[in-house]
Amino acid sequence: MADSLGAAWAVDWLRRSADVVAANRVALSELDRAIGDGDHGENLDRGYQAIVEKLDAETPATPGAAFKLAAMTLMSKVGGAAGPLYGTAYLRMATATGEAATLDAAALAGALAAARDGVVARGKAEVGDKTMIDAWTPAVEAATAAATGPSASAGSVLAAAAAAAEAGAESTDPLIAHKGRASYLGERAIGHRDPGAASSALILRAAAEAARAPGAAE
């Protein structure tokens, strides 16, 4: 796996995220319809398609520039909770990575932690509340552990984060929600996966897949 990742990886991640969100647009909205407003997939798809349009018009020179582009686009194009939460995550990643041309294992783990902390600051959620934090916090913990391991690489950090996010999203199924519209459902939310956790897992898996692509270190 790649030891470090550059702007090409960040752009590829955003494009892959747009593809996977589009492919799961209906499924994500159906998850949201069960316990929320029913528009999570539609909103995210609109936002990521707008990101792709921006990327078609300009090529970010660094990972941080790509993250900032994504942040500004999502915050301006996506309504509801998804735009501010994902936008804040990308903005915190942009701040954490600065103008670095490439990101190694430690930098990536730090960027994911900054993204998670931004979402926590914006949404005031914690693990167990049945939100996207149930995917992000395990992802950050796994990434941090992978970054300090003997075979640490940028690719291994993202692979660990993606697997942990997927398990974290699944863990929301039996939970009672304590944040957002789903919190009004009480026990009726049990048995339904949180849509934000589900989309987070899809997006973090896209990051890991982009890290395996040729040219990801550029």
Side-chain angles (χ1 to χ4, degrees):
M1 293 190 179
D3 290 331
S4 62
L5 299 169
W9 160 77
V11 169
D12 191 23
W13 176 19
L14 293 173
R15 290 185 180 279
R16 287 172 185 263
S17 295
D19 289 343
V20 75
V21 167
N24 289 274
R25 173 180 56 84
V26 173
L28 289 171
S29 288
E30 287 178 349
L31 288 178
D32 195 31
R33 192 169 295 114
I35 60 175
D37 294 328
D39 58 2
H40 186 64
E42 298 288 344
N43 282 341
L44 266 191
D45 183 45
R46 183 185 313 114
Y48 274 99
Q49 293 309 314
I51 289 173
V52 169
E53 291 178 6
K54 291 283 185 69
L55 292 174
D56 287 342
E58 60 181 286
T59 302
T62 64
F67 300 149
K68 186 174 182 179
L69 178 152
M72 297 299 100
T73 304
L74 290 177
M75 288 178 171
S76 65
K77 296 291 186 180
V78 180
L85 290 173
Y86 273 113
T88 297
Y90 282 120
L91 190 58
R92 291 292 186 92
M93 290 181 72
T95 300
T97 55
E99 297 181 1
T102 59
L103 307 177
D104 61 12
L108 276 171
L112 293 178
R116 186 275 314 275
D117 292 347
V119 174
V120 169
R122 172 74 76 162
K124 312 301 183 190
E126 58 187 39
V127 172
D129 282 344
K130 200 179 181 91
T131 71
M132 60 196 294
I133 293 303
D134 288 297
W136 274 94
T137 290
V140 167
E141 292 172 347
T144 301
T148 57
S151 57
S153 68
S156 66
V157 163
L158 293 174
E166 288 161 353
E170 186 176 350
S171 78
T172 66
D173 293 4
L175 298 178
I176 294 175
H178 297 292
K179 293 289 181 180
R181 182 177 291 271
S183 64
Y184 298 110
L185 297 178
E187 292 187 354
R188 286 179 293 163
I190 294 175
H192 298 285
R193 185 161 304 180
D194 177 71
S199 62
S200 294
L202 291 172
I203 289 165
L204 287 170
R205 175 56 64 188
E209 292 176 349
R212 295 197 298 267
E218 299 174 0

